[in-house]
Structure formats: structure tokens, C-alpha cells
């Protein structure tokens, strides 16, 4: 019996070092876990995020947004928008943030000029991530299920049911909610180039085409000077081809005694073309009617002219897709997308002129975007594929 007790004691003496190592490992593991969690937490708070010199500009933008200060006193911190809550995504985001440390060390955006030069690519990276994860960080605070849509502003009341039915995500409409939108000029121009490339391959068998850009036209092929200007998105009917030119007929409307312009619909200031004196004299009147609201007399007209075929496209939807992209990219800095039928066709003119200085839109892009809004306005009488 005594011998068994001595063997048991000896066994325990041999086990203590192993138990000690296990206990020590557990303590070290717990310390590492707690330390790691603390580091993760501390490097996610807004104070840490904006501590770098290069974050002064983003901080100023954030402090001027509704996510920083609002009537309800609810503040979204940096991590609320930029760090997802799901464990795997959280860790991947924190690991990916090491590139920001490298960027700070190398001075990638340490001046306002460098920051502006990289702002678009940084924003597009965030938008791409949020699109891929269904705006996960936004939805940690906002959800369609919790919204009282009837209590929202008119624009939101119209937009959110559409977003729900079409499976849209927050970032589709809300891009400038915490930071001023970057200069979108390059992105805007890229879409226009794609339209022109598509127009270059338009079938010669097509009989109904749409202008992808503002284009001058001539009444006859031998005219050296233009006789007028066709506006983007305007529909024309092809009559004949001659090399790289084609003869087309424009159908539209003129206000009586105002012969310098052709509009897409009576009573609607949707410009299809502006005409010089020679072109005005060649306009053919087909019919007339009186606008019941204004009492103005409008003439249904047509005009035949020549123009380059490489600015015309058969699929009008490609023009609208480009215009929709322009609106998404340039009109969400102060608010979400406004429903197109929130204004009538004539009201959209003033809205666009008022918003233009806050965007990166060129005169040509603004012209197309105005056409897009007007032709989808609350009183639009223009159906797809017809401007008669």
C-alpha cells in the first residue's frame, strides 16, 4: 500500500510540469486573445482612424455630413460604415487595412492634390465592396423591414418600394452620404466613349435611330455650314445612306410663331433640335393643336436633313443606361436618387440647372441627363421608341 502511494505521488510530480505548461498556455492564449481584441477595437474607433495627417480631408467631409450630426443625435462612427460585423469579413477588412498603413508611410495621399487624384479610385473600391456584400454595414443600422416608408420624404416613399422590388442595395443610390463625391469626369467620359463605340457599329438596315450626342446637321450634302443642331437622345427616321452620312427625318412640335426650335412633345420644353433661318424655312407643318393648359398653339412638324451616321444608335436603352449611370454617380452627394416622375418635364430644366454646379458634369452630359429626366418625367407622353 505504501509503495502504491509513493508511485502515485511520483506520477503527480511528473504531471505537474505538463499541467503547468497547459495552464501557462491557456493564460498566454487568453492574454493574446484579449490583447488582439483590444487592438482590433482600438484600431477601429474613429479617433484612431482620423489620427493620420492624410485623414484630415475625409474627417472634414464626414463632420459635415448627416451621419456625424443630425436632429436625432445618432452618430455613425468610421467603423460603422467601413468595417463589417461578420467575423470573417471583419478579419479580412482589418488585414486589408494594412495597405492604408503602407499608404500613410509612403505618403500616397498626404497632400490635397494627391488625395483628390486618388479619391475616385478609393471611392470606387468602397462602392464595389459594398455592392458585393449588399451594403452590409449600412444594413447594420438601416433595413427595409424596419422602415416606416409612409413617414419618409416623398422621394424616399417612391424610391424605396422600387428598390425593394428590384433587389437594389443601399449603395446603388446613396454614395455621398458621409463624404463629398469625387470628381467623376473620367468615369462620365468613359460612358460617352462606349456609346460612340456602339454607334459606330449600328446596322445600316435600322430605320429608327437615336442621337448619342449633340450633332450639327445640314439640309443638303453640299452645304459647308451647319443648318441646325440635333440634341442627344432625339429619335430620327432614316431615309437614305450616302457613305458616312445619312438622310433622316425628324418629327416633332413647334410652338406657333417660334420657329427656331423643334420639341419632342407639345407643351413640353424637351428640345429635339435648334434651327437656323434656312432650316426653319424648310420645316413642314403636318397638323396643329391647342394646349388646353396654356392656350398656346402647337404645330406638329417634320424636317429632313443630313448628318453623320456614326453618332446614331438603334438601341435607345443604351443611352438611358448611360444617363442613369450619370445620375447615380453625380446626383447622390446631397441626397439619394430623386424619382424621375417627381417633377414634370418643364420643371426638370430648372432642377438640373440648379444642381449642375455641384457635379462634375460637362455641358454635353448635363444636356443628355436633362433629356433623360424630361422623357421619364411625371407628365411624359413619350413612349419608348416613339417621340411623335
Amino acid at each position: 500500500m505504501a509503495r502504491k502511494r509513493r508511485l502515485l505521488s511520483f506520477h503527480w510530480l511528473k504531471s505537474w510540469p505538463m499541467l503547468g505548461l497547459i495552464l501557462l498556455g491557456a493564460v498566454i492564449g487568453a492574454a493574446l486573445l484579449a490583447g488582439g481584441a483590444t487592438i482590433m477595437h482600438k484600431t477601429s474607433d474613429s479617433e484612431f482612424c482620423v489620427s493620420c495627417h492624410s485623414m484630415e480631408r475625409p474627417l472634414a467631409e464626414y463632420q459635415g455630413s448627416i451621419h456625424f450630426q443630425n436632429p436625432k443625435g445618432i452618430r455613425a462612427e468610421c467603423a460603422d460604415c467601413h468595417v463589417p460585423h461578420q467575423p470573417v469579413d471583419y478579419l479580412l477588412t482589418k488585414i486589408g487595412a494594412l495597405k492604408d498603413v503602407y499608404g500613410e508611410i509612403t505618403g500616397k495621399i498626404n497632400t490635397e492634390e494627391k488625395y483628390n487624384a486618388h479619391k475616385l479610385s478609393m471611392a470606387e473600391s468602397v462602392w464595389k465592396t459594398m455592392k458585393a456584400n449588399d451594403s452590409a454595414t449600412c444594413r447594420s443600422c438601416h433595413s427595409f423591414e424596419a422602415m416606416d416608408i409612409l413617414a419618409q420624404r416623398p422621394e424616399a416613399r417612391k424610391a424605396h418600394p422600387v428598390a425593394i422590388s428590384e433587389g437594389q442595395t443601399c449603395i446603388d443610390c446613396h454614395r455621398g452620404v458621409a463624404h463629398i463625391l469625387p470628381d467623376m469626369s473620367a468615369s462620365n467620359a468613359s460612358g460617352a466613349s462606349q456609346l460612340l463605340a456602339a454607334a459606330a457599329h449600328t446596322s445600316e438596315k435600322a430605320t429608327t435611330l437615336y442621337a448619342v450626342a449633340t450633332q450639327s446637321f445640314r439640309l443638303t450634302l453640299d452645304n459647308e455650314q451647319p443648318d441646325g443642331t440635333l440634341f442627344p437622345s432625339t429619335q430620327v427616321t432614316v431615309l437614305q445612306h450616302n457613305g458616312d452620312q445619312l438622310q433622316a427625318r425628324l418629327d416633332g412640335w413647334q410652338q406657333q410663331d417660334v420657329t427656331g426650335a423643334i420639341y419632342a412633345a407639345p407643351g413640353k420644353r424637351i428640345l429635339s433640335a435648334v434651327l437656323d433661318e434656312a432650316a426653319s424655312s424648310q420645316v413642314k407643318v403636318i397638323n396643329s393643336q391647342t394646349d388646353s393648359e396654356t392656350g398656346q398653339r402647337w404645330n406638329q412638324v417634320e424636317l429632313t436633313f443630313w448628318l453623320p451616321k456614326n453618332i446614331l444608335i438603334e438601341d435607345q436603352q443604351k443611352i438611358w443606361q448611360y444617363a442613369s449611370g450619370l445620375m447615380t454617380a453625380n446626383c447622390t452627394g446631397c441626397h439619394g436618387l430623386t424619382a424621375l416622375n417627381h417633377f414634370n418635364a418643364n420643371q426638370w430644366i430648372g432642377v438640373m440647372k440648379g444642381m449642375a454646379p455641384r457635379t462634375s458634369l460637362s455641358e454635353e452630359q448635363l444636356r443628355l441627363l436633362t433629356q433623360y429626366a424630361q422623357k421619364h418625367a411625371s407628365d411624359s407622353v413619350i413612349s419608348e421608341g416613339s417621340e411623335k
Side-chain angles (χ1 to χ4, degrees), residues 301-336:
V301 300
E302 66 178 42
L303 177 66
T304 300
F305 47 73
W306 290 86
L307 74 168
K309 64 182 181 181
N310 62 359
I311 60 93
L312 299 167
I313 197 170
E314 187 174 5
D315 186 358
Q316 189 183 40
Q317 284 305 312
K318 290 184 178 179
I319 299 176
W320 295 154
Q321 288 166 8
Y322 169 51
S324 177
L326 287 177
M327 180 165 277
T328 299
N330 293 275
C331 303
T332 58
C334 301
H335 48 74

mmCIF file of all heavy atoms in Angstrom, residues 301-336:
data_model
loop_
_atom_site.group_PDB
_atom_site.id
_atom_site.type_symbol
_atom_site.label_atom_id
_atom_site.label_comp_id
_atom_site.label_asym_id
_atom_site.label_seq_id
_atom_site.Cartn_x
_atom_site.Cartn_y
_atom_site.Cartn_z
ATOM 1 N N VAL A 301 -44.704 68.980 -86.711
ATOM 2 C CA VAL A 301 -43.855 69.293 -87.862
ATOM 3 C C VAL A 301 -42.891 68.151 -88.170
ATOM 4 O O VAL A 301 -42.729 67.214 -87.378
ATOM 5 C CB VAL A 301 -43.043 70.583 -87.599
ATOM 6 C CG1 VAL A 301 -43.975 71.769 -87.360
ATOM 7 C CG2 VAL A 301 -42.094 70.398 -86.410
ATOM 8 N N GLU A 302 -42.261 68.284 -89.332
ATOM 9 C CA GLU A 302 -41.166 67.377 -89.679
ATOM 10 C C GLU A 302 -40.114 68.146 -90.457
ATOM 11 O O GLU A 302 -40.395 69.158 -91.097
ATOM 12 C CB GLU A 302 -41.674 66.172 -90.486
ATOM 13 C CG GLU A 302 -42.223 66.520 -91.850
ATOM 14 C CD GLU A 302 -42.668 65.288 -92.630
ATOM 15 O OE1 GLU A 302 -43.286 64.388 -92.034
ATOM 16 O OE2 GLU A 302 -42.385 65.244 -93.859
ATOM 17 N N LEU A 303 -38.877 67.663 -90.367
ATOM 18 C CA LEU A 303 -37.754 68.303 -91.059
ATOM 19 C C LEU A 303 -36.794 67.215 -91.515
ATOM 20 O O LEU A 303 -36.493 66.281 -90.763
ATOM 21 C CB LEU A 303 -37.028 69.279 -90.138
ATOM 22 C CG LEU A 303 -35.775 69.965 -90.712
ATOM 23 C CD1 LEU A 303 -36.169 70.897 -91.866
ATOM 24 C CD2 LEU A 303 -35.025 70.727 -89.625
ATOM 25 N N THR A 304 -36.330 67.340 -92.756
ATOM 26 C CA THR A 304 -35.396 66.370 -93.321
ATOM 27 C C THR A 304 -34.014 67.006 -93.437
ATOM 28 O O THR A 304 -33.882 68.160 -93.857
ATOM 29 C CB THR A 304 -35.874 65.908 -94.707
ATOM 30 O OG1 THR A 304 -37.161 65.303 -94.573
ATOM 31 C CG2 THR A 304 -34.908 64.895 -95.301
ATOM 32 N N PHE A 305 -32.975 66.248 -93.076
ATOM 33 C CA PHE A 305 -31.604 66.780 -93.115
ATOM 34 C C PHE A 305 -30.608 65.626 -93.208
ATOM 35 O O PHE A 305 -30.971 64.451 -93.126
ATOM 36 C CB PHE A 305 -31.307 67.632 -91.876
ATOM 37 C CG PHE A 305 -31.717 67.001 -90.572
ATOM 38 C CD1 PHE A 305 -31.013 65.936 -90.023
ATOM 39 C CD2 PHE A 305 -32.843 67.460 -89.891
ATOM 40 C CE1 PHE A 305 -31.388 65.360 -88.831
ATOM 41 C CE2 PHE A 305 -33.239 66.886 -88.695
ATOM 42 C CZ PHE A 305 -32.506 65.832 -88.155
ATOM 43 N N TRP A 306 -29.320 65.996 -93.367
ATOM 44 C CA TRP A 306 -28.221 65.039 -93.424
ATOM 45 C C TRP A 306 -27.329 65.209 -92.192
ATOM 46 O O TRP A 306 -27.124 66.329 -91.727
ATOM 47 C CB TRP A 306 -27.380 65.254 -94.671
ATOM 48 C CG TRP A 306 -28.068 64.881 -95.946
ATOM 49 C CD1 TRP A 306 -28.904 65.680 -96.684
ATOM 50 C CD2 TRP A 306 -27.992 63.632 -96.624
ATOM 51 N NE1 TRP A 306 -29.358 65.002 -97.787
ATOM 52 C CE2 TRP A 306 -28.808 63.731 -97.776
ATOM 53 C CE3 TRP A 306 -27.319 62.431 -96.383
ATOM 54 C CZ2 TRP A 306 -28.966 62.691 -98.677
ATOM 55 C CZ3 TRP A 306 -27.468 61.402 -97.287
ATOM 56 C CH2 TRP A 306 -28.287 61.520 -98.417
ATOM 57 N N LEU A 307 -26.809 64.082 -91.709
ATOM 58 C CA LEU A 307 -25.887 64.124 -90.560
ATOM 59 C C LEU A 307 -25.037 62.856 -90.549
ATOM 60 O O LEU A 307 -25.386 61.858 -91.203
ATOM 61 C CB LEU A 307 -26.641 64.268 -89.244
ATOM 62 C CG LEU A 307 -27.395 63.061 -88.667
ATOM 63 C CD1 LEU A 307 -27.812 63.352 -87.224
ATOM 64 C CD2 LEU A 307 -28.633 62.713 -89.477
ATOM 65 N N PRO A 308 -23.921 62.844 -89.818
ATOM 66 C CA PRO A 308 -23.056 61.656 -89.763
ATOM 67 C C PRO A 308 -23.797 60.488 -89.102
ATOM 68 O O PRO A 308 -24.478 60.658 -88.081
ATOM 69 C CB PRO A 308 -21.864 62.105 -88.911
ATOM 70 C CG PRO A 308 -21.897 63.589 -88.963
ATOM 71 C CD PRO A 308 -23.329 63.972 -89.071
ATOM 72 N N LYS A 309 -23.637 59.308 -89.662
ATOM 73 C CA LYS A 309 -24.351 58.160 -89.110
ATOM 74 C C LYS A 309 -23.671 57.587 -87.871
ATOM 75 O O LYS A 309 -24.277 56.807 -87.131
ATOM 76 C CB LYS A 309 -24.487 57.068 -90.166
ATOM 77 C CG LYS A 309 -23.172 56.451 -90.652
ATOM 78 C CD LYS A 309 -23.433 55.422 -91.734
ATOM 79 C CE LYS A 309 -22.153 54.758 -92.223
ATOM 80 N NZ LYS A 309 -22.396 53.778 -93.299
ATOM 81 N N ASN A 310 -22.411 57.976 -87.631
ATOM 82 C CA ASN A 310 -21.682 57.380 -86.509
ATOM 83 C C ASN A 310 -22.018 57.998 -85.150
ATOM 84 O O ASN A 310 -21.364 57.710 -84.163
ATOM 85 C CB ASN A 310 -20.173 57.443 -86.746
ATOM 86 C CG ASN A 310 -19.647 58.866 -86.854
ATOM 87 O OD1 ASN A 310 -20.412 59.824 -86.766
ATOM 88 N ND2 ASN A 310 -18.349 58.985 -87.069
ATOM 89 N N ILE A 311 -23.050 58.871 -85.109
ATOM 90 C CA ILE A 311 -23.495 59.379 -83.808
ATOM 91 C C ILE A 311 -24.922 58.909 -83.517
ATOM 92 O O ILE A 311 -25.570 59.419 -82.598
ATOM 93 C CB ILE A 311 -23.399 60.917 -83.728
ATOM 94 C CG1 ILE A 311 -24.256 61.604 -84.785
ATOM 95 C CG2 ILE A 311 -21.951 61.371 -83.851
ATOM 96 C CD1 ILE A 311 -25.634 61.975 -84.378
ATOM 97 N N LEU A 312 -25.372 57.927 -84.270
ATOM 98 C CA LEU A 312 -26.727 57.412 -84.098
ATOM 99 C C LEU A 312 -26.694 55.950 -83.695
ATOM 100 O O LEU A 312 -25.851 55.179 -84.154
ATOM 101 C CB LEU A 312 -27.525 57.574 -85.396
ATOM 102 C CG LEU A 312 -27.699 59.014 -85.887
ATOM 103 C CD1 LEU A 312 -28.212 59.026 -87.312
ATOM 104 C CD2 LEU A 312 -28.653 59.770 -84.971
ATOM 105 N N ILE A 313 -27.631 55.572 -82.832
ATOM 106 C CA ILE A 313 -27.668 54.217 -82.302
ATOM 107 C C ILE A 313 -29.088 53.674 -82.388
ATOM 108 O O ILE A 313 -30.067 54.432 -82.337
ATOM 109 C CB ILE A 313 -27.154 54.206 -80.838
ATOM 110 C CG1 ILE A 313 -26.786 52.802 -80.395
ATOM 111 C CG2 ILE A 313 -28.165 54.843 -79.889
ATOM 112 C CD1 ILE A 313 -26.058 52.776 -79.057
ATOM 113 N N GLU A 314 -29.194 52.374 -82.549
ATOM 114 C CA GLU A 314 -30.518 51.764 -82.709
ATOM 115 C C GLU A 314 -31.206 51.501 -81.372
ATOM 116 O O GLU A 314 -32.429 51.591 -81.256
ATOM 117 C CB GLU A 314 -30.380 50.451 -83.482
ATOM 118 C CG GLU A 314 -31.704 49.811 -83.859
ATOM 119 C CD GLU A 314 -31.521 48.596 -84.742
ATOM 120 O OE1 GLU A 314 -30.371 48.187 -84.982
ATOM 121 O OE2 GLU A 314 -32.550 48.049 -85.202
ATOM 122 N N ASP A 315 -30.420 51.175 -80.347
ATOM 123 C CA ASP A 315 -30.973 50.803 -79.047
ATOM 124 C C ASP A 315 -30.993 52.013 -78.112
ATOM 125 O O ASP A 315 -29.978 52.395 -77.544
ATOM 126 C CB ASP A 315 -30.135 49.670 -78.440
ATOM 127 C CG ASP A 315 -30.739 49.121 -77.154
ATOM 128 O OD1 ASP A 315 -31.785 49.636 -76.718
ATOM 129 O OD2 ASP A 315 -30.164 48.176 -76.588
ATOM 130 N N GLN A 316 -32.162 52.606 -77.928
ATOM 131 C CA GLN A 316 -32.275 53.783 -77.068
ATOM 132 C C GLN A 316 -31.952 53.459 -75.614
ATOM 133 O O GLN A 316 -31.493 54.320 -74.856
ATOM 134 C CB GLN A 316 -33.691 54.358 -77.156
ATOM 135 C CG GLN A 316 -33.847 55.713 -76.472
ATOM 136 C CD GLN A 316 -35.268 56.221 -76.521
ATOM 137 O OE1 GLN A 316 -36.213 55.452 -76.362
ATOM 138 N NE2 GLN A 316 -35.439 57.513 -76.752
ATOM 139 N N GLN A 317 -32.174 52.204 -75.203
ATOM 140 C CA GLN A 317 -31.923 51.815 -73.820
ATOM 141 C C GLN A 317 -30.459 51.993 -73.429
ATOM 142 O O GLN A 317 -30.151 52.258 -72.266
ATOM 143 C CB GLN A 317 -32.350 50.361 -73.588
ATOM 144 C CG GLN A 317 -33.857 50.174 -73.485
ATOM 145 C CD GLN A 317 -34.470 51.051 -72.413
ATOM 146 O OE1 GLN A 317 -33.986 51.112 -71.282
ATOM 147 N NE2 GLN A 317 -35.530 51.754 -72.756
ATOM 148 N N LYS A 318 -29.557 51.871 -74.390
ATOM 149 C CA LYS A 318 -28.132 52.083 -74.083
ATOM 150 C C LYS A 318 -27.880 53.537 -73.689
ATOM 151 O O LYS A 318 -27.040 53.819 -72.837
ATOM 152 C CB LYS A 318 -27.267 51.681 -75.276
ATOM 153 C CG LYS A 318 -27.233 50.178 -75.522
ATOM 154 C CD LYS A 318 -26.292 49.815 -76.654
ATOM 155 C CE LYS A 318 -26.238 48.299 -76.835
ATOM 156 N NZ LYS A 318 -25.336 47.901 -77.949
ATOM 157 N N ILE A 319 -28.609 54.455 -74.317
ATOM 158 C CA ILE A 319 -28.485 55.867 -73.949
ATOM 159 C C ILE A 319 -29.012 56.081 -72.548
ATOM 160 O O ILE A 319 -28.397 56.767 -71.723
ATOM 161 C CB ILE A 319 -29.253 56.749 -74.946
ATOM 162 C CG1 ILE A 319 -28.678 56.578 -76.362
ATOM 163 C CG2 ILE A 319 -29.203 58.217 -74.519
ATOM 164 C CD1 ILE A 319 -29.446 57.341 -77.431
ATOM 165 N N TRP A 320 -30.156 55.473 -72.248
ATOM 166 C CA TRP A 320 -30.746 55.639 -70.915
ATOM 167 C C TRP A 320 -29.895 54.989 -69.837
ATOM 168 O O TRP A 320 -29.828 55.492 -68.716
ATOM 169 C CB TRP A 320 -32.150 55.067 -70.885
ATOM 170 C CG TRP A 320 -33.172 55.743 -71.755
ATOM 171 C CD1 TRP A 320 -34.290 55.169 -72.279
ATOM 172 C CD2 TRP A 320 -33.214 57.122 -72.181
ATOM 173 N NE1 TRP A 320 -35.009 56.084 -73.005
ATOM 174 C CE2 TRP A 320 -34.375 57.286 -72.965
ATOM 175 C CE3 TRP A 320 -32.376 58.223 -71.981
ATOM 176 C CZ2 TRP A 320 -34.720 58.512 -73.534
ATOM 177 C CZ3 TRP A 320 -32.710 59.441 -72.558
ATOM 178 C CH2 TRP A 320 -33.860 59.582 -73.315
ATOM 179 N N GLN A 321 -29.249 53.883 -70.150
ATOM 180 C CA GLN A 321 -28.359 53.245 -69.174
ATOM 181 C C GLN A 321 -27.191 54.170 -68.826
ATOM 182 O O GLN A 321 -26.795 54.288 -67.663
ATOM 183 C CB GLN A 321 -27.852 51.914 -69.724
ATOM 184 C CG GLN A 321 -28.907 50.820 -69.767
ATOM 185 C CD GLN A 321 -28.502 49.625 -70.600
ATOM 186 O OE1 GLN A 321 -27.363 49.523 -71.054
ATOM 187 N NE2 GLN A 321 -29.425 48.708 -70.824
ATOM 188 N N TYR A 322 -26.643 54.807 -69.848
ATOM 189 C CA TYR A 322 -25.554 55.755 -69.611
ATOM 190 C C TYR A 322 -26.051 56.934 -68.785
ATOM 191 O O TYR A 322 -25.406 57.363 -67.819
ATOM 192 C CB TYR A 322 -24.999 56.228 -70.957
ATOM 193 C CG TYR A 322 -24.054 57.403 -70.871
ATOM 194 C CD1 TYR A 322 -22.971 57.403 -69.996
ATOM 195 C CD2 TYR A 322 -24.243 58.535 -71.676
ATOM 196 C CE1 TYR A 322 -22.096 58.479 -69.921
ATOM 197 C CE2 TYR A 322 -23.375 59.609 -71.609
ATOM 198 C CZ TYR A 322 -22.306 59.579 -70.727
ATOM 199 O OH TYR A 322 -21.456 60.652 -70.654
ATOM 200 N N ALA A 323 -27.216 57.465 -69.149
ATOM 201 C CA ALA A 323 -27.775 58.602 -68.418
ATOM 202 C C ALA A 323 -28.094 58.231 -66.974
ATOM 203 O O ALA A 323 -27.850 59.015 -66.052
ATOM 204 C CB ALA A 323 -29.034 59.101 -69.123
ATOM 205 N N SER A 324 -28.618 57.041 -66.778
ATOM 206 C CA SER A 324 -28.915 56.580 -65.425
ATOM 207 C C SER A 324 -27.645 56.496 -64.593
ATOM 208 O O SER A 324 -27.629 56.859 -63.408
ATOM 209 C CB SER A 324 -29.603 55.212 -65.474
ATOM 210 O OG SER A 324 -29.832 54.712 -64.175
ATOM 211 N N GLY A 325 -26.563 56.030 -65.214
ATOM 212 C CA GLY A 325 -25.273 55.980 -64.528
ATOM 213 C C GLY A 325 -24.772 57.365 -64.166
ATOM 214 O O GLY A 325 -24.217 57.570 -63.079
ATOM 215 N N LEU A 326 -24.974 58.339 -65.068
ATOM 216 C CA LEU A 326 -24.595 59.717 -64.772
ATOM 217 C C LEU A 326 -25.350 60.235 -63.551
ATOM 218 O O LEU A 326 -24.781 60.897 -62.682
ATOM 219 C CB LEU A 326 -24.891 60.618 -65.971
ATOM 220 C CG LEU A 326 -23.990 60.504 -67.201
ATOM 221 C CD1 LEU A 326 -24.488 61.436 -68.300
ATOM 222 C CD2 LEU A 326 -22.537 60.826 -66.855
ATOM 223 N N MET A 327 -26.639 59.927 -63.502
ATOM 224 C CA MET A 327 -27.445 60.412 -62.383
ATOM 225 C C MET A 327 -27.005 59.758 -61.082
ATOM 226 O O MET A 327 -26.870 60.427 -60.046
ATOM 227 C CB MET A 327 -28.928 60.141 -62.657
ATOM 228 C CG MET A 327 -29.850 60.623 -61.542
ATOM 229 S SD MET A 327 -31.587 60.713 -62.037
ATOM 230 C CE MET A 327 -31.616 62.321 -62.858
ATOM 231 N N THR A 328 -26.765 58.446 -61.111
ATOM 232 C CA THR A 328 -26.321 57.748 -59.906
ATOM 233 C C THR A 328 -24.982 58.285 -59.416
ATOM 234 O O THR A 328 -24.779 58.510 -58.221
ATOM 235 C CB THR A 328 -26.192 56.240 -60.184
ATOM 236 O OG1 THR A 328 -27.477 55.727 -60.558
ATOM 237 C CG2 THR A 328 -25.704 55.498 -58.952
ATOM 238 N N ALA A 329 -24.064 58.514 -60.353
ATOM 239 C CA ALA A 329 -22.711 58.927 -59.982
ATOM 240 C C ALA A 329 -22.617 60.380 -59.543
ATOM 241 O O ALA A 329 -21.755 60.734 -58.754
ATOM 242 C CB ALA A 329 -21.760 58.683 -61.157
ATOM 243 N N ASN A 330 -23.520 61.236 -60.053
ATOM 244 C CA ASN A 330 -23.361 62.661 -59.828
ATOM 245 C C ASN A 330 -24.444 63.316 -58.980
ATOM 246 O O ASN A 330 -24.271 64.457 -58.556
ATOM 247 C CB ASN A 330 -23.320 63.392 -61.182
ATOM 248 C CG ASN A 330 -22.091 63.057 -61.990
ATOM 249 O OD1 ASN A 330 -21.041 63.656 -61.825
ATOM 250 N ND2 ASN A 330 -22.198 62.074 -62.879
ATOM 251 N N CYS A 331 -25.522 62.615 -58.723
ATOM 252 C CA CYS A 331 -26.663 63.261 -58.060
ATOM 253 C C CYS A 331 -26.968 62.691 -56.681
ATOM 254 O O CYS A 331 -28.056 62.873 -56.166
ATOM 255 C CB CYS A 331 -27.901 63.160 -58.946
ATOM 256 S SG CYS A 331 -27.672 63.878 -60.581
ATOM 257 N N THR A 332 -26.026 61.972 -56.095
ATOM 258 C CA THR A 332 -26.288 61.388 -54.776
ATOM 259 C C THR A 332 -25.431 62.013 -53.684
ATOM 260 O O THR A 332 -25.390 61.515 -52.567
ATOM 261 C CB THR A 332 -26.012 59.866 -54.798
ATOM 262 O OG1 THR A 332 -24.647 59.647 -55.194
ATOM 263 C CG2 THR A 332 -26.937 59.155 -55.755
ATOM 264 N N GLY A 333 -24.737 63.109 -53.988
ATOM 265 C CA GLY A 333 -23.880 63.727 -52.988
ATOM 266 C C GLY A 333 -24.653 64.372 -51.858
ATOM 267 O O GLY A 333 -24.187 64.408 -50.722
ATOM 268 N N CYS A 334 -25.823 64.890 -52.174
ATOM 269 C CA CYS A 334 -26.612 65.582 -51.144
ATOM 270 C C CYS A 334 -27.856 64.794 -50.764
ATOM 271 O O CYS A 334 -28.496 65.091 -49.761
ATOM 272 C CB CYS A 334 -27.029 66.970 -51.637
ATOM 273 S SG CYS A 334 -25.635 68.031 -52.066
ATOM 274 N N HIS A 335 -28.244 63.835 -51.564
ATOM 275 C CA HIS A 335 -29.475 63.088 -51.301
ATOM 276 C C HIS A 335 -29.430 61.801 -52.102
ATOM 277 O O HIS A 335 -28.597 61.602 -52.971
ATOM 278 C CB HIS A 335 -30.706 63.921 -51.717
ATOM 279 C CG HIS A 335 -30.578 64.512 -53.095
ATOM 280 N ND1 HIS A 335 -30.690 63.765 -54.236
ATOM 281 C CD2 HIS A 335 -30.314 65.772 -53.501
ATOM 282 C CE1 HIS A 335 -30.523 64.546 -55.293
ATOM 283 N NE2 HIS A 335 -30.281 65.763 -54.874
ATOM 284 N N GLY A 336 -30.359 60.935 -51.851
ATOM 285 C CA GLY A 336 -30.487 59.738 -52.675
ATOM 286 C C GLY A 336 -31.072 60.121 -54.028
ATOM 287 O O GLY A 336 -31.400 61.285 -54.291
#
